[in-house]
Amino acid sequence: MIALDRLYSLGAGTPSRSQPTLFTGDHRAAVGECVEKTVANMLAHAVDYEHWIIAYSGGKDSSCAVTLIVTLIQCGAIPAPKTLTVMYADTRMELPPLQAAARVMMDRLRAMGITVMEVVAPMDDRFYVYMFGRGVPPPSNTFRWCTPQIKVEPMTVAIAETVGRLEGKCLTITGVRRGESDARDARISLSCTRNGAECGQGWLQTDLPGTLTDTFAPIDHWTLCNVWDWLSVFAPWEEFGAWPTRMIAEGYGGVEDMRTGCTGCNLIATDGALGAVLKQPDWDHLSPLLGLKRLYLELKKPKWRKRQPGFQYRKDGTLQSNQQRMGPLTFEARVMGLDTVLGIQDAVNSAAERLGRPGMVLIDAEEEARIRELIAAKTWPNGWSGEEPNADVWLDTVNNDGSVQPILFRELVGQ
Ligand code: SF4
């Protein structure tokens, strides 16, 4: 049995990173104080619910939440709910070291008798199937289709199904933290665009339908230092459960305040997490993954896209505000993209085999077959027929105010 007073004294009187220093000039709670507050919060808010669902991404914050809650149940600090389900949002796009750490964690939880569900988007909604099969261009800051599609919606459906099966009140527990500062709160909401947060972390706070379950964030008050102290120092101790949490640091490439999300995410200028991981000696075989970002950049170019010609109207008859917008990927683009991603996957796996390291899957055989099937069926996103001109074809310019600027030197472009 884990001694509760040991948990509450964690970090106190030791040179943990949570301790105030001459330079911080402020009081920062040690891990033990944070644990105590989490216990108080759980007792005040969570124990009224018969069923708990912990939303787990494999990142540092949700790993902290899941290991802490299970540890607290084991040591009797909080009563066990009637059911405890850990739901892992498997986007298939996370950095391989984080995926590996999540797999080890889930094996461990299952071995303890805890229900672990792996939630994956339906086939046609998965990242590469949607992009290369349906032809939707890579996500961007102005067209961020990915977070809802590969994270929010699958998790929402899985929670709804679970809630429908269970009798009694359900609570969704998240690893969202808002403890450090208002600035950090803002970063959480903008989780895909700033360092320090995990993509999708914010959605649980803001986007999960409130009608489904109540949502509770028991490590809300923990700082980044507290989280890393727990994961890398205390959770691995035998007396607190010997959690395999040190592996998670590898997924962050040893950079603790690193943003994590999909490998090669197109919404950030530089994939710092991948860069940091590649500096780790055991993961440098992942370097072909750097090609993903280059591919997404290439696929944004007009030569790989379709464009809406002529005037586009809203239902009320007024002109749309984005005339001649670029749209889906051409079939050539999709085949090129698919070949490129499969080539990157092969390169990583060949190196992994040569070096005796774990391989990875970006697109599995079933997904590849579905992508080719959708291309063969000439599938286009809603609102597009494929008859539209390619985006690099010269057209008369149609302006949002309804005016038209004819092509100058039409004869030079052969029209
Ligand atoms: S990390 Fe990037 S690609 Fe992945 S869901 Fe978030 S915004 Fe989309």
Side-chain angles (χ1 to χ4, degrees):
M1 174 71 88
I2 299 162
L4 201 51
D5 55 344
R6 286 277 298 145
L7 265 172
Y8 289 168
S9 63
L10 290 181
T14 64
S16 122
R17 283 165 296 181
S18 316
Q19 297 305 296
T21 69
L22 276 179
F23 306 102
T24 58
D26 61 350
H27 170 76
R28 295 187 185 175
V31 172
E33 289 175 64
C34 291
V35 172
E36 208 168 340
K37 193 166 173 196
T38 294
V39 170
N41 288 345
M42 290 294 291
L43 291 174
H45 303 294
V47 293
D48 289 343
Y49 297 81
E50 288 152 284
H51 309 285
W52 296 351
I53 297 167
I54 305 183
Y56 176 52
S57 70
K60 60 185 184 310
D61 296 324
S62 62
S63 298
C64 177
V66 78
T67 51
L68 181 69
I69 297 299
V70 174
T71 304
L72 292 176
I73 292 173
Q74 288 197 310
C75 74
I78 53 175
K82 211 162 164 184
T83 67
L84 175 64
T85 307
V86 175
M87 272 190 197
Y88 174 61
D90 185 4
T91 64
R92 318 283 306 278
M93 301 293 297
E94 305 295 329
L95 276 171
L98 275 180
Q99 282 185 27
R103 299 251 150 254
V104 172
M105 179 71 79
M106 288 190 287
D107 287 348
R108 168 68 192 279
L109 291 165
R110 286 190 179 108
M112 296 170 80
I114 293 169
T115 305
V116 179
M117 287 174 60
E118 296 184 40
V119 179
V120 189
M123 175 61 81
D124 285 7
D125 287 349
R126 294 185 195 167
F127 192 83
Y128 288 120
V129 179
Y130 197 63
M131 200 153 82
F132 300 144
R134 183 156 292 274
V136 177
S140 62
N141 280 308
T142 52
F143 185 34
R144 184 175 143 189
W145 51 263
C146 44
T147 315
Q149 188 146 323
I150 63 176
K151 296 187 174 179
V152 181
E153 287 161 18
M155 195 65 120
T156 304
V157 169
I159 291 175
E161 280 171 6
T162 305
V163 171
R165 242 182 321 103
L166 299 170
E167 279 179 14
K169 282 168 70 184
C170 289
L171 181 69
T172 301
I173 294 175
T174 75
V176 170
R177 291 182 301 114
R178 298 186 303 166
E180 287 187 65
S181 68
D182 290 345
R184 182 172 168 88
D185 293 355
R187 288 214 302 273
I188 285 175
S189 309
L190 294 167
S191 53
C192 282
T193 57
R194 295 281 188 280
N195 274 351
E198 291 153 24
C199 170
Q201 188 183 41
W203 71 260
L204 276 170
Q205 193 71 12
T206 55
D207 297 347
L208 190 68
T211 48
L212 216 49
T213 66
D214 289 333
T215 305
F216 183 53
I219 62 162
D220 188 59
H221 54 287
W222 287 52
T223 63
L224 180 68
C225 289
N226 296 144
V227 167
W228 281 116
D229 278 350
W230 172 255
L231 294 176
S232 56
V233 180
F234 305 121
W237 285 0
E238 198 66 42
E239 64 179 307
F240 300 129
W243 290 103
T245 43
R246 283 198 184 114
M247 276 182 86
I248 297 165
E250 279 191 36
Y252 286 77
V255 184
E256 295 180 348
D257 198 10
M258 184 61 74
R259 171 206 168 279
T260 59
C262 301
T263 308
C265 170
N266 199 42
L267 278 80
I268 46 170
T270 311
D271 190 345
L274 178 58
V277 164
L278 292 180
K279 289 187 189 139
Q280 307 272 313
D282 286 346
W283 295 100
D284 56 359
H285 64 287
L286 299 177
S287 61
L289 293 176
L290 291 169
L292 291 176
K293 238 175 136 37
R294 288 196 291 272
L295 170 66
Y296 303 151
L297 206 62
E298 177 66 22
L299 288 174
K300 284 290 186 184
K301 292 180 180 168
K303 70 175 187 177
W304 301 112
R305 312 273 298 275
K306 291 284 186 181
R307 188 190 293 285
Q308 288 286 8
F311 286 110
Q312 303 298 313
Y313 295 92
R314 299 191 188 94
K315 281 192 184 135
D316 65 4
T318 56
L319 278 171
Q320 288 182 6
S321 57
N322 54 352
Q323 297 297 325
Q324 292 188 325
R325 72 181 197 277
M326 280 204 289
L329 301 173
T330 63
F331 291 126
E332 294 74 23
R334 302 189 213 177
V335 172
M336 182 277 280
L338 175 60
D339 288 348
T340 305
V341 175
L342 290 175
I344 289 171
Q345 178 173 277
D346 282 350
V348 169
N349 288 335
S350 305
E353 201 176 323
R354 201 176 61 247
L355 298 164
R357 295 180 188 169
M360 70 174 300
V361 177
L362 288 167
I363 297 177
D364 67 20
E366 210 187 335
E367 289 162 349
E368 182 186 345
R370 182 61 183 155
I371 290 169
R372 295 195 190 281
E373 190 177 42
L374 288 166
I375 293 175
K378 302 201 181 316
T379 311
W380 293 95
N382 293 341
W384 296 81
S385 67
E387 297 299 315
E388 300 83 1
N390 283 9
D392 58 352
V393 170
W394 285 47
L395 301 171
D396 292 342
T397 304
V398 171
N399 297 311
N400 289 340
D401 63 3
S403 61
V404 176
Q405 167 73 51
I407 296 174
L408 295 175
F409 313 115
R410 190 176 295 272
E411 64 284 359
L412 286 182
V413 291
Q415 293 183 32

